[in-house]
Amino acid sequence: MFPNGDNMFVILVYDVEQKRVNKVLKTCRKYLYWVQNSVLEGEITESRLTKLKMELERIIDKEKDSVIIYRFSTRKYQVIETMGIKKGGEENIL
Amino acid sequence: MFPNGDNMFVILVYDVEQKRVNKVLKTCRKYLYWVQNSVLEGEITESRLTKLKMELERIIDKEKDSVIIYRFSTRKYQVIETMGIKKGGEENIL
């Protein structure tokens, strides 16, 4: 479980039209870590996740874009494996 | 836990060069469900996941491509939320 009982682990993946990519990524990065192309992850509180979703709702076009949020209340049962290069992080912002 | 104790839940995200996208997606779909752009998920056994990784290792360029596999040994602590449209599935293959 998380040190702070209110926290959860989140994986967020988005698939949005090109013109909204920058705004979506910038918004998500205020709350989560960017790990790959259109994928972010991180620990977050319920209230901050609610804020993030409200911000995203104002940006995305619900007829055209897609955002999936996987929420986990513990990381105890989680293993992350990576193949190839690490693509996320500050250094790869275009 | 899973009905079959050997199963796990996996989220796989890839970011590969355009020329390898089709092959990577086709390979991943033999094992997992396609849910969005470059994201697949599903329940899988350890041995099938090993097979999938071996297939991907032969396809991807480890200097240029990235694949991240999130493995979870239980779905008990998981919630999935979606915003916008559903992009994965058979009907959206181009």
Side-chain angles (χ1 to χ4, degrees):
Chain A
M1 296 289 172
F2 298 103
N4 175 345
D6 295 335
N7 275 16
M8 65 189 102
F9 178 73
V10 159
I11 301 165
L12 184 151
V13 294
Y14 62 80
D15 184 1
V16 304
E17 284 202 356
Q18 190 57 42
K19 58 188 168 192
R20 287 183 290 275
V21 163
N22 281 351
K23 208 161 183 182
V24 166
L25 179 57
K26 199 178 167 189
T27 300
C28 290
R29 293 185 82 202
K30 290 196 288 177
Y31 298 88
L32 300 166
Y33 296 101
W34 183 43
V35 290
Q36 195 198 74
N37 186 19
S38 55
V39 184
L40 297 99
E41 61 174 51
E43 290 180 21
I44 190 168
T45 60
E46 185 75 49
S47 63
R48 279 179 61 77
L49 182 61
T50 301
K51 273 185 203 166
L52 170 57
K53 286 191 287 182
M54 283 169 63
E55 286 195 54
L56 288 177
E57 267 170 19
R58 284 195 294 265
I59 300 167
I60 67 169
D61 179 335
K62 287 186 181 179
E63 306 296 315
K64 293 175 180 165
D65 301 333
S66 166
V67 174
I68 305 176
I69 300 169
Y70 296 92
R71 302 165 53 138
F72 301 92
S73 56
T74 173
R75 298 189 72 165
K76 193 177 167 187
Y77 303 101
Q78 180 200 57
V79 175
I80 302 177
E81 293 182 43
T82 56
M83 299 170 68
I85 61 166
K86 187 179 170 296
K87 288 219 175 181
E90 298 291 340
E91 69 278 13
N92 288 309
I93 281 288
L94 298 178
Chain B
M1 294 292 171
F2 298 103
N4 175 345
D6 296 336
N7 275 17
M8 65 189 105
F9 178 72
V10 159
I11 301 165
L12 184 151
V13 294
Y14 62 80
D15 183 1
V16 303
E17 284 201 356
Q18 191 56 41
K19 58 188 167 191
R20 287 183 291 275
V21 163
N22 282 351
K23 208 161 184 185
V24 166
L25 179 56
K26 199 177 167 190
T27 300
C28 290
R29 293 185 81 200
K30 289 196 288 177
Y31 299 89
L32 300 167
Y33 297 102
W34 182 44
V35 291
Q36 193 198 75
N37 188 19
S38 54
V39 185
L40 298 100
E41 61 174 51
E43 290 179 23
I44 191 168
T45 59
E46 184 76 48
S47 63
R48 278 179 60 77
L49 182 61
T50 301
K51 274 187 204 166
L52 170 57
K53 286 192 286 183
M54 283 169 63
E55 286 195 55
L56 288 176
E57 266 171 20
R58 284 195 293 267
I59 299 167
I60 68 170
D61 180 336
K62 288 187 179 178
E63 307 295 315
K64 292 175 181 166
D65 301 333
S66 166
V67 175
I68 305 177
I69 299 169
Y70 297 92
R71 304 165 52 139
F72 301 92
S73 56
T74 174
R75 299 188 73 164
K76 192 176 167 187
Y77 304 101
Q78 180 200 56
V79 176
I80 303 176
E81 294 182 41
T82 56
M83 300 170 67
I85 62 164
K86 186 178 172 296
K87 287 219 175 181
E90 299 292 338
E91 69 278 13
N92 288 308
I93 281 287
L94 299 177

